[in-house]
Amino acid sequence: MENQNKSVTFQWFVTSAILMIVVLVMLFNFSIKSSADAEEEVYTDLIQSTQQYADSFLAELETVRMVSQPVIKLLEQKEALDDEEYFVELIEALASESDAYQVCLCDTAGQGINQLGESVSISDTDYFQAILNSGNISYLFTEEADEQSQKTIVIVERVSSDTGRGYLLMYYSMAQFEGLLSKTDLDVNAFLVLVDSEGDILGTSGADNALLEGGNLLETIKDGNSTALQTIRSRMKNGARGNSSVTVNEVSYLLTYIPMGTNQWELFLGVSQAYIDRQVDQKWADIKSMLTSLIVVVFVFICVVMVFNIIARIRRIEKEKQLEDKADTDQLTGLYNKLATERKIKEYMQQHPQSQCMMFMVDVDNFKKINDTMGHAFGDEVLRSLGQQIGGIFRASDIIGRVGGDEFMIFLKDIADEETVRKEARKVENFFKGFQAGEYVKYAATASIGVAIYPQEGGDFETLYKAADQGVYKAKKRGKNQLAFYRDEWEKTE
């Protein structure tokens, strides 16, 4: 028996030694290329971040342009042209509802009027000449839009009428670009810079930097960075994105750049090389931790029985968790079911009695008619689509559940102030203005929505539920397809 035990011990020892050698060989081979892989991953992350900043900035410009579309349709009507007061009111409304600091409507000779009703002439400006020469340009950069000569992007829209053609010009200050990098997980010394095809700086955001001191980014990095500059120019010309390391005033930076897709503009994100080194070290540290875990496996293997017990326990816990999640989930919509919704809301109320929250009761209008006319399968598709889409417009921490056949409950946690209350209410109401269900036959379902505020209108679940349900009753009484607060004062205009 003793010899047998020694034999088993020896076999375990040999097996463990072999496994240890295998792990060490894997560690050695993997470490050779891990540093390069980590650096490449950091570069990829920076390109993605730069793209997100570019998309965000272009979205702001596009929002201004989209806000102008209804105004343009009105301006193209004869009534607007005949009534100068109405005409001025339209462009004044556009200026107040968009991020444009100035709006101007002018004819093809550059003579027009602004949102203040003042006559303006832009015929001698470079940007107006560019408008005439380009024909279809949408965005123009200028520093001569006003007396302060602030950096501005002019958003150009064409206006046609019976009396001829003209241009609606919206002036977007590049001072707003400065806040684009205000909230970031990047290095505190990170910066964004928007340049044209020649490298002239149009706008900056983030930390002040030696690279931004001149008026042209490419000229600033020219000395001592000829190879990097040649690469940057080549990629800009070809519309390609990339990363390049440069050194200015003995400080090393990594520049990440992507084309903006308009006007041959390019967005650069700059971070210090020290930041890159920290990120690479962090990712490499994670890899080393993983490889160390592989070594630990060898020792865990010796305690295989204990591991089996732990695994069995983990699996049992996971299975119980899966069963619990399944029991909490409405199988049609994937949201919480009625019991789970009520339980989670009550738990939150108990733990956060002073936190202001909102409860929405959503009752799909005429759902019986949907089932009767289009079939129960389509009715299920309406509920399924509603559950999937409405679940995507709120925070993961909020509680959303299906609490009846065609009823849904939304509980928004930690609502800071009255402005946020109204903002969230508008978001829910606007959701149903664009909601459609059905893959082939699109159906625009509507809902009657009731809103109650916790804890002012109900310090417990039952009371708050009744208040929100009363809001649904008010919405239905008013004709459905709308949102109603339990208390009328919430519905006052801001």
Side-chain angles (χ1 to χ4, degrees), residues 149-273:
S149 297
Q150 64 174 317
K151 293 183 176 181
T152 298
I153 289 180
V154 182
I155 303 168
V156 184
E157 287 292 322
R158 278 74 186 169
V159 180
S160 301
S161 67
D162 294 339
T163 59
R165 294 177 57 84
Y167 302 98
L168 181 65
L169 308 181
M170 293 155 284
Y171 297 81
Y172 178 93
S173 173
M174 283 301 288
Q176 298 184 67
F177 181 82
E178 296 174 3
L180 193 61
L181 202 65
S182 60
K183 295 181 180 179
T184 177
D185 295 329
L186 299 174
D187 188 10
V188 294
N189 296 316
F191 60 91
L192 284 172
V193 55
L194 181 68
V195 304
D196 62 16
S197 59
E198 300 301 320
D200 290 332
I201 295 176
L202 310 183
T204 63
S205 179
D208 293 333
N209 194 280
L211 278 74
L212 310 178
E213 292 178 355
N216 187 292
L217 178 65
L218 301 185
E219 287 295 321
T220 302
I221 65 176
K222 179 173 62 176
D223 294 338
N225 300 289
S226 58
T227 302
L229 181 59
Q230 183 178 359
T231 300
I232 293 173
R233 288 188 181 277
S234 175
R235 288 178 176 170
M236 288 177 62
K237 181 179 180 180
N238 295 322
R241 57 184 63 188
N243 297 283
S244 296
S245 296
V246 299
T247 301
V248 176
N249 295 341
E250 299 182 353
V251 179
S252 297
Y253 304 91
L254 180 75
L255 296 180
T256 302
Y257 41 92
I258 63 167
M260 294 290 287
T262 182
N263 293 38
Q264 294 184 310
W265 291 345
E266 196 88 6
L267 185 65
F268 281 75
L269 171 64
V271 295
S272 66
Q273 187 60 45

Side-chain angles (χ1 to χ4, degrees), residues 435-458:
F435 170 71
Q436 289 186 329
E439 183 175 358
Y440 301 103
V441 178
K442 295 296 185 180
Y443 184 85
T446 64
S448 298
I449 308 163
V451 190
I453 310 301
Y454 171 84
Q456 297 96 313
E457 296 162 12

Side-chain angles (χ1 to χ4, degrees), residues 97-163:
E97 294 300 324
S98 69
D99 288 335
Y101 70 86
Q102 178 174 296
V103 177
C104 169
L105 182 66
C106 66
D107 57 24
T108 54
Q111 307 301 314
I113 190 169
N114 63 17
Q115 79 275 12
L116 300 177
E118 302 170 341
S119 297
V120 295
S121 175
I122 60 171
S123 57
D124 295 332
T125 62
D126 290 341
Y127 66 87
F128 185 70
Q129 296 306 313
I131 293 174
L132 296 178
N133 294 333
S134 67
N136 62 353
I137 196 165
S138 296
Y139 304 121
L140 280 166
F141 175 81
T142 180
E143 293 189 71
E144 56 179 358
D146 56 20
E147 296 179 357
Q148 288 75 32
S149 297
Q150 64 174 317
K151 293 183 176 181
T152 298
I153 289 180
V154 182
I155 303 168
V156 184
E157 287 292 322
R158 278 74 186 169
V159 180
S160 301
S161 67
D162 294 339
T163 59

